[in-house]
Amino acid sequence: MTEAKWSRPAAGREPAAAALLSWLADRDAPRLCVVTGSAGCGKSTLLAWLVGHGTREGTRPERRIHGFVPMAGESVLTATWTLAQQLQVSARTPGELVTALAADERRTVLVLPDLHAADDPDTIGELALDLLRLEHVRLLVEIRGASTAAERLLATRSAVMDLDERQWTDPERYAAWARERTTSPPDDGGTRPAPPPVDVHDPAAVCAADPWHVSRLYERCQDAHGGLRAAWLRTGASLTRDQTPADRAVVLLAALGDDADPRLPGALTALAESAPWRVVWRRVRGDVRPPWPGPARVLACARAEVLVADHQGTVRLVDETDATPVGRLPDPVPRTRALTTVPEGQVLVLDEQGRLHTRRNPSMPRATGLSALLDDGPTAAERLANAAQVPLGGRISALAACEGLLIAGDESGQVHALLETGVDTGHFTVRLHEGGVADVAVLRLDGTGGIPLVHSGGNDGTVRAWAPGHEPLSSPVRSRPCPVTALASGITDTGAVLAIAWADGLVEHHSLDDDGTVRAYWSGARVHALAVTGTGMLLVGTDETLVCLRPD
């Protein structure tokens, strides 16, 4: 192997460094590499160099490292949240992390130094074994001493590098390097300084303290702390990000169940005074007053109501002002993928097979008398739905509508506009994405003669804008290195807005007016659905929460 042009690790460790680089690049090598050795042998210095080399700009793909967690003192949850942030996925639990990585089959290399010094090495070892069941994941683990975790990892097919063996060291150079060091390596078996105490009953204290320390405290205890513990563990993947105490207070309040200490909502609202959001109401799994409407997989707005579709396809109607239940749509559509409302009072529901179903909103008035007798033909919505059943390209994956217009995105990256003219249906198509369309949104802008503005978000990590009948914008209006999971747009009291949810849990609220204000909200979980109400509220739906936010 020719010598690479990189900054050297600790002097004397060049043979080990070259071997690790070879392991990274060798497709046939075991996907697990275990680095062992006695304390003070420079393992962590070597691995720190390897991570620095593997994460710098311009690193060749076969030598790139995608995730790195120094495990000393870490729990399985904090390790999960750290890796999720680095890999730009949403994961609240180890199982969700494995599921998220299983859905993305790109090569992923993770480094876990000091696994033996983790808060619970055996649990971390279980996570490592689960990750190794994914063929595209490659794992480098540093471990010392005998333990169940070490035994189970070494029992798998692995490459083992014992740095006490002379083949991995230039003894003379390493001895000279060691003599020159004035302090012992802090990351070779050392322990962290004790963090300052935190009153985990006090919302102000937990919002201002080191979030990683608070996470470990809540994970180790069983006391409910008035509901703070459950809310923190539900959204810790957000709370551990770099943000202000006011932002953390918003996230905590949004995840607070109705069984929490009744003093907490007021305290968290006061703490969130300087944040860009106000929590209008929230519904959390397990709530009974009003009841939890179920996992919010799909959302839509109709007048003063919100339609919430759960994982079984049941669509419930809740009041926009406080989420009290007002009814449900008849005949659930299993595995609902999208739904949209039309002015005539009908709801179009898209299933995961790309088929459209028409349902009647029970809260909308029905035609009566002579008008009901004469108007027995298909409605405009039904005509659009029938037109959309004709093969449009790929299977339909996203749906939105406004007056006389149906927008459909498909799994081939195309976006279709079906326009009801009263006599015929106009059809416009444009390819906007590489890969499937995750969601679409449409609104009619004032001052443009009612020209519809379509936004589409793709699995390629882009959001694009298009007006049917015109050329789309040449560049995305927004782009990030992770997929879009949901879109919503609308005309509110303060102007046109666009909301975007990303696969890493970030929600962005964009003003489409001249000021271009952007507000961010980290949900702490994968966001399945968004909706924008006519009064300017933003609804955010996950498997655990349904939150109504007002931009401030």
Side-chain angles (χ1 to χ4, degrees):
M1 175 180 177
T2 59
E3 184 174 349
K5 294 181 179 179
W6 28 256
S7 300
R8 296 180 181 278
R13 286 303 186 198
E14 290 86 351
L20 290 176
L21 289 177
S22 296
W23 171 77
L24 283 173
D26 186 354
R27 292 179 177 270
D28 297 324
R31 290 186 294 106
L32 172 65
C33 179
V34 179
V35 178
T36 67
S38 59
C41 69
K43 297 190 304 297
S44 296
T45 305
L46 172 66
L47 295 184
W49 164 82
L50 182 70
V51 170
H53 169 77
T55 55
R56 68 185 182 182
E57 186 177 354
T59 299
R60 287 156 40 188
E62 66 271 18
R63 289 184 176 175
R64 178 157 292 282
I65 291 172
H66 306 92
F68 165 66
V69 186
M71 292 305 309
E74 295 294 337
S75 69
V76 69
L77 276 186
T78 57
T80 295
W81 296 340
T82 301
L83 288 173
Q85 290 177 19
Q86 294 173 353
L87 300 173
Q88 294 189 302
V89 298
S90 296
R92 297 175 300 111
T93 65
E96 289 185 3
L97 177 64
V98 175
T99 300
L101 293 186
D104 185 347
E105 297 183 353
R106 292 175 297 178
R107 168 187 165 98
T108 304
V109 180
L110 308 176
V111 179
L112 304 179
D114 287 327
L115 188 145
H116 53 275
D119 194 51
D120 185 352
D122 292 343
T123 306
I124 300 293
E126 290 290 340
L127 173 59
L129 290 170
D130 288 340
L131 290 169
L132 285 171
R133 294 188 179 97
L134 306 178
E135 292 294 328
H136 56 283
V137 172
R138 183 167 287 215
L139 198 62
L140 190 153
V141 173
E142 177 203 355
I143 198 162
R144 186 169 67 245
S147 66
T148 302
E151 291 175 1
R152 296 196 64 187
L153 287 170
L154 291 171
T156 65
R157 180 175 179 264
S158 61
V160 180
M161 176 183 288
D162 184 348
L163 291 182
D164 287 334
E165 296 177 356
R166 296 179 63 85
Q167 63 178 314
W168 305 121
T169 310
D170 181 326
E172 293 181 1
R173 286 176 57 79
Y174 182 75
W177 170 81
R179 286 194 298 270
E180 293 174 356
R181 292 181 62 85
T182 57
T183 59
S184 59
D187 50 0
D188 266 337
T191 58
R192 298 178 179 178
V198 179
D199 181 359
V200 289
H201 286 85
D202 180 5
V206 299
C207 288
D210 173 13
W212 297 104
H213 178 48
V214 174
S215 299
R216 288 186 286 270
L217 291 175
Y218 278 140
E219 190 177 0
R220 292 166 184 164
C221 71
Q222 297 301 319
D223 190 285
H225 300 289
L228 275 177
R229 178 179 182 269
W232 187 284
L233 294 180
R234 184 176 285 123
T235 54
S238 166
L239 296 165
T240 49
R241 292 180 177 273
D242 185 18
Q243 53 189 309
T244 67
D247 291 329
R248 289 196 180 98
V250 169
V251 176
L252 267 180
L253 178 57
L256 202 64
D258 67 358
D259 59 347
D261 185 323
R263 296 169 294 182
L264 285 177
L268 289 169
T269 299
L271 291 170
E273 186 66 32
S274 62
W277 296 104
R278 294 289 174 268
V279 178
V280 180
W281 51 258
R282 81 272 180 198
R283 293 292 167 260
V284 177
R285 181 185 292 274
D287 281 0
V288 294
R289 301 182 306 273
W292 160 240
R297 293 296 179 89
V298 185
L299 295 173
C301 293
R303 292 189 175 180
E305 300 164 348
V306 179
L307 284 72
V308 185
D310 66 14
H311 59 299
Q312 296 178 327
T314 300
V315 181
R316 295 175 174 85
L317 282 69
V318 301
D319 191 281
E320 177 187 310
T321 59
D322 59 6
T324 55
V326 296
R328 67 174 63 190
L329 295 188
D331 304 322
V333 176
R335 300 186 181 276
T336 297
R337 188 164 184 171
L339 60 85
T340 188
T341 60
V342 294
E344 298 164 324
Q346 290 182 306
V347 181
L348 300 180
V349 185
L350 176 72
D351 67 23
E352 69 173 9
Q353 299 301 319
R355 297 175 299 221
L356 279 175
H357 308 261
T358 305
R359 296 289 185 267
R360 178 78 191 178
N361 186 338
S363 68
M364 300 292 286
R366 293 178 176 269
T368 59
L370 185 60
S371 61
L373 182 64
L374 295 176
D375 189 15
D376 59 352
T379 65
E382 290 170 335
R383 289 192 293 270
L384 286 172
N386 291 334
Q389 302 291 8
V390 178
L392 297 175
R395 186 165 63 182
I396 300 176
S397 57
L399 196 68
C402 62
E403 186 175 356
L405 181 66
L406 182 68
I407 304 298
D410 68 31
E411 293 180 348
S412 72
Q414 295 184 109
V415 178
H416 311 270
L418 301 171
L419 179 64
E420 170 66 26
T421 63
V423 178
D424 199 359
T425 301
H427 182 194
F428 303 91
T429 296
V430 64
R431 182 177 297 278
L432 295 177
H433 299 278
E434 297 295 329
V437 178
D439 206 353
V440 290
V442 60
L443 54 81
R444 291 187 183 274
L445 292 174
D446 295 336
T448 61
I451 294 175
L453 176 61
V454 177
H455 286 95
S456 61
N459 295 327
D460 58 1
T462 64
V463 177
R464 294 186 175 272
W466 173 52
H470 299 75
E471 287 295 318
L473 295 179
S474 59
S475 58
V477 297
R478 189 75 174 95
S479 176
R480 294 185 71 228
C482 63
V484 174
T485 59
L487 282 183
S489 64
I491 304 294
T492 72
D493 296 340
T494 58
V497 299
L498 170 69
I500 311 168
W502 303 89
D504 58 357
L506 171 64
V507 175
E508 294 178 324
H509 180 276
H510 296 254
S511 170
L512 299 182
D513 294 335
D514 293 338
D515 63 354
T517 302
V518 180
R519 296 173 177 84
Y521 171 73
W522 288 96
S523 66
R526 184 179 181 87
V527 175
H528 295 294
L530 297 172
V532 175
T533 73
T535 56
M537 306 300 180
L538 174 65
L539 304 175
V540 181
T542 75
D543 282 339
E544 295 283 330
T545 60
L546 174 60
V547 184
C548 180
L549 301 172
R550 184 181 73 244
D552 193 16

